[in-house]
Amino acid sequence: KQEVTQIPAALSVPEGENLVLNCSFTDSAIYNLQWFRQDPGKGLTSLLLIQSSQREQTSGRLNASLDKSSGRSTLYIAASQPGDSATYLCAVYLVGTDKLIFGTGTRLQVFP
Amino acid sequence: GAVVSQHPSRVICKSGTSVKIECRSLDFQATTMFWYRQFPKKSLMLMATSNEGSKATYEQGVEKDKFLINHASLTLSTLTVTSAHPEDSSFYICSARGTATYEQYFGPGTRLTVT
């Protein structure tokens, strides 16, 4: 059974810091891995999708890497801002199914 | 492109009544739709997968007679919570997938409160 874990569960940092959020999964048989952002009481905003053949994706201040063999992904946030405060979720698409399995989430707070 | 809507965004109902939540793909045809449930400060849990014109496939532990899913067209899926109870209060999120990609596109969610 695929399990997706995110560390840390919560993080509070001052504005301007560079951050690394970690995601690990137990079964490397995945199609893609996707990072989402969720604001309180809201739906999901897709940040980055990494295909299994790729090692990283970048969008603005965000960079996500994928190491399938070790079952790990990281989301790097450069020069964090208070507007980055949200819950960040990683999710993996399982090979052979339609399913998307979500991680446990990291609650990020960036204070001015 | 790839916009998914949900209606209503919030609903409050009395215990014992039924509530219907709609999920629509606005600019693409969704052959498969998914329903997730999210408890406060928890991650999303897949409830069921529905393919257009077929019966939904429910995840283990999800009562199919309580959570009725209909996917009658390529742009609409509905989730009906029957005989709702306070423990059914939760945030329900749908997603939709077209034919060309594995990527799922998510709706904004529906907050259900059962009193």
Side-chain angles (χ1 to χ4, degrees), chain A residues 79-101:
Chain A
S80 59
Q81 302 171 359
D84 294 330
S85 299
T87 295
Y88 290 80
L89 296 164
C90 71
V92 297
Y93 289 84
L94 299 184
V95 169
T97 78
D98 284 327
K99 296 183 182 180
L100 181 59
I101 306 300

mmCIF file of all heavy atoms in Angstrom, chain A residues 79-101:
data_model
loop_
_atom_site.group_PDB
_atom_site.id
_atom_site.type_symbol
_atom_site.label_atom_id
_atom_site.label_comp_id
_atom_site.label_asym_id
_atom_site.label_seq_id
_atom_site.Cartn_x
_atom_site.Cartn_y
_atom_site.Cartn_z
ATOM 1 N N ALA A 79 13.222 32.649 -0.851
ATOM 2 C CA ALA A 79 12.820 33.980 -0.373
ATOM 3 C C ALA A 79 11.357 34.016 0.044
ATOM 4 O O ALA A 79 10.537 34.729 -0.539
ATOM 5 C CB ALA A 79 13.095 35.021 -1.451
ATOM 6 N N SER A 80 11.043 33.247 1.054
ATOM 7 C CA SER A 80 9.638 33.078 1.461
ATOM 8 C C SER A 80 8.988 34.416 1.837
ATOM 9 O O SER A 80 9.644 35.357 2.320
ATOM 10 C CB SER A 80 9.548 32.113 2.641
ATOM 11 O OG SER A 80 10.302 32.603 3.739
ATOM 12 N N GLN A 81 7.670 34.468 1.610
ATOM 13 C CA GLN A 81 6.867 35.671 1.875
ATOM 14 C C GLN A 81 5.663 35.290 2.725
ATOM 15 O O GLN A 81 5.217 34.136 2.690
ATOM 16 C CB GLN A 81 6.390 36.260 0.547
ATOM 17 C CG GLN A 81 7.498 36.624 -0.414
ATOM 18 C CD GLN A 81 6.962 36.994 -1.791
ATOM 19 O OE1 GLN A 81 5.761 36.959 -2.045
ATOM 20 N NE2 GLN A 81 7.875 37.370 -2.673
ATOM 21 N N PRO A 82 5.096 36.245 3.463
ATOM 22 C CA PRO A 82 3.890 35.922 4.257
ATOM 23 C C PRO A 82 2.767 35.323 3.416
ATOM 24 O O PRO A 82 2.010 34.478 3.901
ATOM 25 C CB PRO A 82 3.501 37.282 4.842
ATOM 26 C CG PRO A 82 4.803 38.005 4.981
ATOM 27 C CD PRO A 82 5.606 37.593 3.760
ATOM 28 N N GLY A 83 2.676 35.721 2.150
ATOM 29 C CA GLY A 83 1.653 35.164 1.274
ATOM 30 C C GLY A 83 1.858 33.698 0.940
ATOM 31 O O GLY A 83 0.957 33.068 0.377
ATOM 32 N N ASP A 84 3.018 33.164 1.277
ATOM 33 C CA ASP A 84 3.271 31.739 1.059
ATOM 34 C C ASP A 84 2.648 30.887 2.172
ATOM 35 O O ASP A 84 2.638 29.654 2.071
ATOM 36 C CB ASP A 84 4.780 31.456 1.017
ATOM 37 C CG ASP A 84 5.471 32.099 -0.171
ATOM 38 O OD1 ASP A 84 4.809 32.267 -1.221
ATOM 39 O OD2 ASP A 84 6.662 32.446 -0.051
ATOM 40 N N SER A 85 2.152 31.509 3.206
ATOM 41 C CA SER A 85 1.562 30.771 4.325
ATOM 42 C C SER A 85 0.352 29.983 3.841
ATOM 43 O O SER A 85 -0.585 30.542 3.271
ATOM 44 C CB SER A 85 1.150 31.738 5.442
ATOM 45 O OG SER A 85 2.266 32.437 5.945
ATOM 46 N N ALA A 86 0.401 28.685 4.049
ATOM 47 C CA ALA A 86 -0.645 27.771 3.565
ATOM 48 C C ALA A 86 -0.229 26.357 3.958
ATOM 49 O O ALA A 86 0.838 26.155 4.542
ATOM 50 C CB ALA A 86 -0.798 27.859 2.056
ATOM 51 N N THR A 87 -1.075 25.396 3.609
ATOM 52 C CA THR A 87 -0.698 23.988 3.742
ATOM 53 C C THR A 87 -0.245 23.482 2.384
ATOM 54 O O THR A 87 -0.897 23.752 1.375
ATOM 55 C CB THR A 87 -1.873 23.141 4.254
ATOM 56 O OG1 THR A 87 -2.204 23.544 5.579
ATOM 57 C CG2 THR A 87 -1.505 21.660 4.258
ATOM 58 N N TYR A 88 0.872 22.795 2.375
ATOM 59 C CA TYR A 88 1.430 22.261 1.136
ATOM 60 C C TYR A 88 1.272 20.736 1.142
ATOM 61 O O TYR A 88 1.656 20.065 2.105
ATOM 62 C CB TYR A 88 2.894 22.665 0.985
ATOM 63 C CG TYR A 88 3.033 24.140 0.716
ATOM 64 C CD1 TYR A 88 2.951 25.068 1.754
ATOM 65 C CD2 TYR A 88 3.193 24.621 -0.580
ATOM 66 C CE1 TYR A 88 3.029 26.432 1.512
ATOM 67 C CE2 TYR A 88 3.279 25.983 -0.830
ATOM 68 C CZ TYR A 88 3.195 26.876 0.225
ATOM 69 O OH TYR A 88 3.271 28.228 -0.021
ATOM 70 N N LEU A 89 0.699 20.230 0.063
ATOM 71 C CA LEU A 89 0.435 18.800 -0.057
ATOM 72 C C LEU A 89 1.177 18.235 -1.262
ATOM 73 O O LEU A 89 1.155 18.846 -2.334
ATOM 74 C CB LEU A 89 -1.057 18.536 -0.239
ATOM 75 C CG LEU A 89 -1.979 18.939 0.921
ATOM 76 C CD1 LEU A 89 -3.425 18.983 0.455
ATOM 77 C CD2 LEU A 89 -1.839 17.955 2.060
ATOM 78 N N CYS A 90 1.810 17.094 -1.068
ATOM 79 C CA CYS A 90 2.328 16.383 -2.227
ATOM 80 C C CYS A 90 1.419 15.188 -2.470
ATOM 81 O O CYS A 90 0.745 14.702 -1.550
ATOM 82 C CB CYS A 90 3.773 15.945 -2.043
ATOM 83 S SG CYS A 90 4.025 14.610 -0.852
ATOM 84 N N ALA A 91 1.390 14.731 -3.696
ATOM 85 C CA ALA A 91 0.530 13.600 -4.057
ATOM 86 C C ALA A 91 1.173 12.830 -5.193
ATOM 87 O O ALA A 91 1.829 13.415 -6.060
ATOM 88 C CB ALA A 91 -0.861 14.091 -4.458
ATOM 89 N N VAL A 92 0.990 11.511 -5.194
ATOM 90 C CA VAL A 92 1.572 10.676 -6.236
ATOM 91 C C VAL A 92 0.481 9.954 -7.000
ATOM 92 O O VAL A 92 -0.522 9.521 -6.421
ATOM 93 C CB VAL A 92 2.578 9.644 -5.654
ATOM 94 C CG1 VAL A 92 3.749 10.368 -5.015
ATOM 95 C CG2 VAL A 92 1.920 8.716 -4.656
ATOM 96 N N TYR A 93 0.685 9.847 -8.295
ATOM 97 C CA TYR A 93 -0.227 9.109 -9.162
ATOM 98 C C TYR A 93 0.298 7.674 -9.268
ATOM 99 O O TYR A 93 1.433 7.452 -9.699
ATOM 100 C CB TYR A 93 -0.279 9.732 -10.550
ATOM 101 C CG TYR A 93 -0.984 11.057 -10.619
ATOM 102 C CD1 TYR A 93 -0.318 12.239 -10.317
ATOM 103 C CD2 TYR A 93 -2.318 11.135 -11.011
ATOM 104 C CE1 TYR A 93 -0.968 13.463 -10.391
ATOM 105 C CE2 TYR A 93 -2.976 12.359 -11.090
ATOM 106 C CZ TYR A 93 -2.287 13.517 -10.783
ATOM 107 O OH TYR A 93 -2.933 14.730 -10.863
ATOM 108 N N LEU A 94 -0.546 6.708 -8.889
ATOM 109 C CA LEU A 94 -0.109 5.322 -8.862
ATOM 110 C C LEU A 94 -0.157 4.682 -10.246
ATOM 111 O O LEU A 94 -1.133 4.853 -10.979
ATOM 112 C CB LEU A 94 -0.998 4.503 -7.922
ATOM 113 C CG LEU A 94 -1.009 4.929 -6.454
ATOM 114 C CD1 LEU A 94 -1.860 3.945 -5.649
ATOM 115 C CD2 LEU A 94 0.397 4.985 -5.887
ATOM 116 N N VAL A 95 0.870 3.921 -10.568
ATOM 117 C CA VAL A 95 0.898 3.159 -11.812
ATOM 118 C C VAL A 95 -0.194 2.100 -11.778
ATOM 119 O O VAL A 95 -0.401 1.438 -10.763
ATOM 120 C CB VAL A 95 2.279 2.499 -11.997
ATOM 121 C CG1 VAL A 95 2.252 1.479 -13.131
ATOM 122 C CG2 VAL A 95 3.340 3.546 -12.265
ATOM 123 N N GLY A 96 -0.914 1.987 -12.878
ATOM 124 C CA GLY A 96 -1.908 0.930 -12.992
ATOM 125 C C GLY A 96 -3.264 1.262 -12.427
ATOM 126 O O GLY A 96 -4.180 0.434 -12.486
ATOM 127 N N THR A 97 -3.400 2.449 -11.854
ATOM 128 C CA THR A 97 -4.697 2.874 -11.320
ATOM 129 C C THR A 97 -4.927 4.325 -11.699
ATOM 130 O O THR A 97 -4.042 4.990 -12.228
ATOM 131 C CB THR A 97 -4.765 2.752 -9.788
ATOM 132 O OG1 THR A 97 -4.051 3.861 -9.189
ATOM 133 C CG2 THR A 97 -4.161 1.454 -9.299
ATOM 134 N N ASP A 98 -6.126 4.798 -11.399
ATOM 135 C CA ASP A 98 -6.419 6.215 -11.593
ATOM 136 C C ASP A 98 -6.111 7.031 -10.351
ATOM 137 O O ASP A 98 -6.291 8.234 -10.339
ATOM 138 C CB ASP A 98 -7.911 6.396 -11.915
ATOM 139 C CG ASP A 98 -8.211 6.007 -13.346
ATOM 140 O OD1 ASP A 98 -7.349 6.215 -14.201
ATOM 141 O OD2 ASP A 98 -9.328 5.511 -13.586
ATOM 142 N N LYS A 99 -5.655 6.387 -9.303
ATOM 143 C CA LYS A 99 -5.656 7.025 -7.991
ATOM 144 C C LYS A 99 -4.513 8.007 -7.785
ATOM 145 O O LYS A 99 -3.397 7.826 -8.253
ATOM 146 C CB LYS A 99 -5.595 5.948 -6.906
ATOM 147 C CG LYS A 99 -6.798 5.042 -6.887
ATOM 148 C CD LYS A 99 -6.717 4.054 -5.743
ATOM 149 C CE LYS A 99 -7.903 3.117 -5.756
ATOM 150 N NZ LYS A 99 -7.848 2.148 -4.637
ATOM 151 N N LEU A 100 -4.849 9.031 -7.021
ATOM 152 C CA LEU A 100 -3.886 10.031 -6.577
ATOM 153 C C LEU A 100 -3.849 9.937 -5.057
ATOM 154 O O LEU A 100 -4.880 10.129 -4.409
ATOM 155 C CB LEU A 100 -4.338 11.418 -7.043
ATOM 156 C CG LEU A 100 -3.468 12.615 -6.713
ATOM 157 C CD1 LEU A 100 -2.086 12.464 -7.295
ATOM 158 C CD2 LEU A 100 -4.133 13.889 -7.210
ATOM 159 N N ILE A 101 -2.687 9.629 -4.513
ATOM 160 C CA ILE A 101 -2.556 9.453 -3.070
ATOM 161 C C ILE A 101 -1.865 10.671 -2.481
ATOM 162 O O ILE A 101 -0.747 11.018 -2.887
ATOM 163 C CB ILE A 101 -1.754 8.181 -2.728
ATOM 164 C CG1 ILE A 101 -2.377 6.957 -3.412
ATOM 165 C CG2 ILE A 101 -1.695 7.985 -1.205
ATOM 166 C CD1 ILE A 101 -3.806 6.669 -3.028
#
